[in-house]
C-alpha cells in the first residue's frame, strides 16, 4: 500500500474515533439497512475487494489510453487534411485565375470567320496551316487548363468533406476521452474510499496477505515448469529496453502517464521499447493483440508479460522469474515476481529476422556444367 494512502487511512480512522457520537434516532423511525462495515469482514475478503477495485481502475485506465491514442491519430489526420485542403484551395485559385485569363484571351481574339474560311482565303496556305497547328496546341492547353480546374474543384470538395468528417470524429473521440477520464476518477475514488475506511492494522494485514499470496502464486508458477528454460540472453535491443525500465525504478505510477516523471503499466513498457528503437502499441491490450506471442517456456529478458484475461496489465520480463512493472495507483515502479498477477501470456516486441537461406549449388558454374553433362548422357 502507498504511504500516501496509508496516511489517508490513518487520518480517517483517527477522525472516526474523535468524532462525536451521532444523535439517537426516534424510536418510531424505521431503521435503515446497515451495510457491512469493513471492520467486520475478513482480511481475505477485503483484499479481494481491493484487488477488484484496482483492476477495475486499471481497466478504465487502459480504455482511456486507447481513446487517447486514437485521438492523437485523429488530430494528426485532421492536421494532414487541413494542410492538403489549404494546398488544394491555393491550386484552385491558380486554376481559376488561369481559366479567367483564357476566357479574356478568347474574347479579345474572337472573330466571325471560321479557321476553314481563313485557310481558303490565305495567300500562304502553308503559313495558315502552321498557324492552325499553333491554334490547335493552344486549344489543347486551354482544354487541359479547364480539366485541371474541374479536377481541382472536385479534389477540393472531397478534401473539405473528409476534413469535416475527420473533425467530427475528433470531437466525438474527445467527448469519449472525457467520459473515460471520468470513469477512471470514479474507480480511483472507490479505491481511496475503501482504503480510508480501514485501520492501520487492517492495512498491514492486507499487505502481509497479499505478499503471502504472491509468494504462493510464484512457487506454483515455477513448479509448473513455465520457467524451466529460463536461461536466455537478452538481445541488444532487449538489453536497452531493460536498462531504460530499471532507470525508472522508484518513480510513481500515474494513470495515463508515459514518462518521464511517472508511468502507468503500458506507458512504461512502450517507452522502454521506444528507447530501444522499436515502436510498439501504447496499451497493454494492443500490445497483446498485435505483438508476436511467445510461449512462457521460451520467455527471454525484454519480453512483455501480459496479465488478466482481458490483458489489462503488462510488465517487462527481466529473467529469473522477475519483472519490472508500474503496478497500480499509489505504488512506485518496482521489480516483482512474475506471478504477482494472474499471467495471461507473453509477447515479444522484437522479432528477429529469419536467417537467409544459403544458396544451393544449383546456381554455380560447376553445377551447370554437371547438369549439361548429365543431359548429354
Amino acid at each position: 500500500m502507498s504511504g500516501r494512502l496509508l496516511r489517508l487511512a490513518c487520518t480517517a480512522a483517527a477522525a472516526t474515533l474523535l468524532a462525536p457520537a451521532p444523535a439517537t434516532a426516534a424510536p418510531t423511525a424505521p431503521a435503515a439497512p446497515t451495510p457491512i462495515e469493513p471492520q467486520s469482514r475478513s482480511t481475505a475478503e477485503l483484499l479481494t475487494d481491493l484487488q477488484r477495485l484496482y483492476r477495475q481502475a486499471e481497466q478504465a485506465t487502459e480504455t482511456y489510453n486507447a481513446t487517447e491514442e486514437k485521438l492523437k491519430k485523429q488530430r494528426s489526420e485532421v492536421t494532414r487534411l487541413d494542410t492538403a485542403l489549404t494546398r488544394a484551395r491555393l491550386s484552385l485559385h491558380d486554376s481559376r485565375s488561369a481559366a479567367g485569363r483564357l476566357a479574356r484571351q478568347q474574347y479579345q481574339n474572337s472573330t466571325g470567320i471560321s479557321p476553314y474560311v481563313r485557310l481558303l482565303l490565305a495567300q500562304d496556305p502553308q503559313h495558315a496551316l502552321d498557324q492552325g497547328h499553333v491554334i490547335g496546341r493552344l486549344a489543347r492547353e486551354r482544354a487541359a487548363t479547364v480539366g485541371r480546374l474541374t479536377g481541382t474543384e472536385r479534389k477540393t470538395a472531397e478534401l473539405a468533406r473528409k476534413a469535416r468528417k475527420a473533425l467530427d470524429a475528433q470531437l466525438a473521440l474527445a467527448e469519449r476521452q472525457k467520459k473515460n477520464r471520468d470513469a477512471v476518477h470514479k474507480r480511483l475514488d472507490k479505491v481511496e474510499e475503501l482504503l480510508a475506511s480501514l485501520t492501520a492494522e487492517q492495512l498491514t494485514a492486507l499487505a502481509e496477505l497479499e505478499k503471502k499470496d504472491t509468494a504462493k502464486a510464484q512457487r506454483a508458477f515455477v513448479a509448473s515448469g513455465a520457467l524451466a528454460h529460463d536461461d536466455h540472453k537478452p538481445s541488444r535491443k532487449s538489453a536497452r529496453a531493460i536498462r531504460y525500465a530499471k532507470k525508472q525504478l522508484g518513480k510513481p505510477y500515474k494513470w495515463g502517464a508515459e514518462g518521464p516523471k511517472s508511468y502507468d503499466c503500458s506507458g512504461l513498457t512502450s517507452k522502454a521499447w521506444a528507447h530501444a528503437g522499436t515502436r510498439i502499441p501504447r496499451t497493454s491490450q494492443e500490445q497483446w493483440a498485435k505483438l508476436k506471442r511467445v510461449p512462457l517456456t521460451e520467455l527471454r529478458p525484454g519480453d512483455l508479460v501480459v496479465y488478466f484475461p482481458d490483458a489489462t496489465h503488462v510488465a517487462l520480463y527481466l529473467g529469473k522469474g522477475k519483472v519490472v512493472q508500474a503496478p497500480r495507483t499509489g505504488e512506485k515502479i518496482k521489480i516483482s515476481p512474475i506471478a504477482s498477477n494472474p499471467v495471461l501470456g507473453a509477447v515479444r516486441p522484437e522479432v528477429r529476422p529469419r536467417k537467409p537461406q544459403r544458396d544451393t549449388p544449383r546456381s554455380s558454374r560447376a553445377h551447370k556444367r554437371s547438369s549439361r553433362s548429365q543431359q548429354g548422357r
Side-chain angles (χ1 to χ4, degrees):
M1 303 298 161
S2 69
R4 182 176 66 85
L5 293 179
L6 179 58
R7 289 192 298 272
L8 177 64
C10 292
T11 302
T16 302
L17 292 174
L18 296 176
T24 306
T28 56
T34 303
I36 299 176
E37 295 296 331
Q39 286 76 9
S40 64
R41 304 175 63 193
S42 69
T43 304
E45 291 174 332
L46 290 173
L47 180 59
T48 299
D49 277 355
L50 188 58
Q51 289 174 338
R52 174 179 55 82
L53 292 174
Y54 274 128
R55 185 182 171 195
Q56 289 175 350
E58 195 156 41
Q59 285 175 331
T61 297
E62 289 300 285
T63 301
Y64 171 87
N65 290 339
T67 306
E68 174 68 14
E69 285 301 295
K70 290 178 182 178
L71 185 55
K72 287 180 183 178
K73 292 178 182 178
Q74 194 61 36
R75 285 172 180 156
S76 299
E77 179 66 5
V78 169
T79 300
R80 184 189 69 81
L81 288 171
D82 284 346
T83 302
L85 183 58
T86 300
R87 288 198 298 263
R89 283 172 173 164
L90 289 174
S91 178
L92 178 60
H93 179 268
D94 293 341
S95 297
R96 284 174 174 168
S97 298
R101 287 195 299 271
L102 285 178
R104 289 192 296 272
Q105 291 172 2
Q106 186 174 1
Y107 175 77
Q108 292 168 359
N109 297 330
S110 62
T111 177
I113 304 176
S114 69
Y116 179 68
V117 174
R118 286 203 301 270
L119 178 61
L120 291 177
L121 298 177
Q123 294 180 353
D124 186 352
Q126 183 60 45
H127 178 67
L129 285 172
D130 293 339
Q131 283 186 326
H133 286 301
V134 173
I135 292 172
R137 188 181 73 248
L138 291 175
R140 288 191 295 273
E141 290 177 356
R142 290 173 180 175
T145 300
V146 173
R148 282 196 300 272
L149 173 61
T150 304
T152 306
E153 285 178 338
R154 289 200 194 100
K155 181 180 179 180
T156 303
E158 179 64 15
L159 282 172
R161 184 188 66 79
K162 288 182 178 179
R164 286 193 298 270
K165 185 177 179 181
L167 182 58
D168 289 342
Q170 176 180 324
L171 295 174
L173 282 171
E175 181 63 25
R176 190 194 308 174
Q177 181 197 39
K178 181 179 179 299
K179 291 180 179 179
N180 292 338
R181 182 190 61 207
D182 294 342
V184 174
H185 284 303
K186 187 180 296 184
R187 299 294 186 187
L188 293 177
D189 288 344
K190 289 184 177 181
V191 171
E192 295 204 4
E193 182 181 348
L194 176 57
L195 288 172
S197 69
L198 302 177
T199 65
E201 290 78 10
Q202 285 177 311
L203 289 171
T204 302
L206 282 174
E208 288 298 323
L209 180 59
E210 187 171 31
K211 185 177 179 180
K212 289 180 181 179
D213 286 350
T214 298
K216 181 180 178 181
Q218 183 75 0
R219 288 193 297 270
F221 189 83
V222 173
S224 70
L227 302 179
H229 304 288
D230 191 22
D231 55 354
H232 301 286
K233 300 296 182 182
S235 67
R236 183 177 300 177
K237 284 192 172 184
S238 296
R240 290 187 65 188
I242 290 170
R243 283 196 299 271
Y244 180 91
K246 283 186 172 181
K247 286 181 180 179
Q248 315 313 311
L249 288 172
K251 292 184 178 180
Y253 175 101
K254 183 178 179 181
W255 69 270
E258 46 187 333
K261 295 182 178 180
S262 56
Y263 299 83
D264 61 19
C265 66
S266 55
L268 176 63
T269 54
S270 60
K271 283 299 180 182
W273 270 100
H275 179 77
T278 300
R279 293 182 60 85
I280 64 174
R282 166 66 176 88
T283 69
S284 59
Q285 292 171 330
E286 286 293 292
Q287 290 169 7
W288 174 248
K290 295 185 177 180
L291 298 180
K292 177 180 174 58
R293 296 183 186 180
V294 293
L296 293 174
T297 52
E298 297 179 15
L299 264 179
R300 74 172 186 223
D303 290 345
L304 304 184
V305 182
V306 184
Y307 297 92
F308 301 110
D310 43 6
T312 51
H313 187 69
V314 64
L316 187 73
Y317 190 59
L318 300 177
K320 306 302 180 184
K322 299 291 184 180
V323 296
V324 58
Q325 63 169 334
R328 61 194 183 195
T329 295
E331 295 196 14
K332 296 179 179 180
I333 296 173
K334 63 181 181 180
I335 294 176
S336 308
I338 188 175
S340 55
N341 292 296
V343 177
L344 173 62
V347 293
R348 182 162 297 160
E350 179 193 25
V351 179
R352 290 178 177 174
R354 295 178 180 177
K355 294 182 179 179
Q357 295 181 354
R358 299 181 62 181
D359 292 335
T360 61
R362 194 170 293 171
S363 59
S364 65
R365 293 181 180 177
H367 179 82
K368 290 179 180 178
R369 286 196 299 268
S370 174
S371 299
R372 283 196 295 268
S373 63
Q374 290 177 359
Q375 290 174 1
R377 295 175 189 173

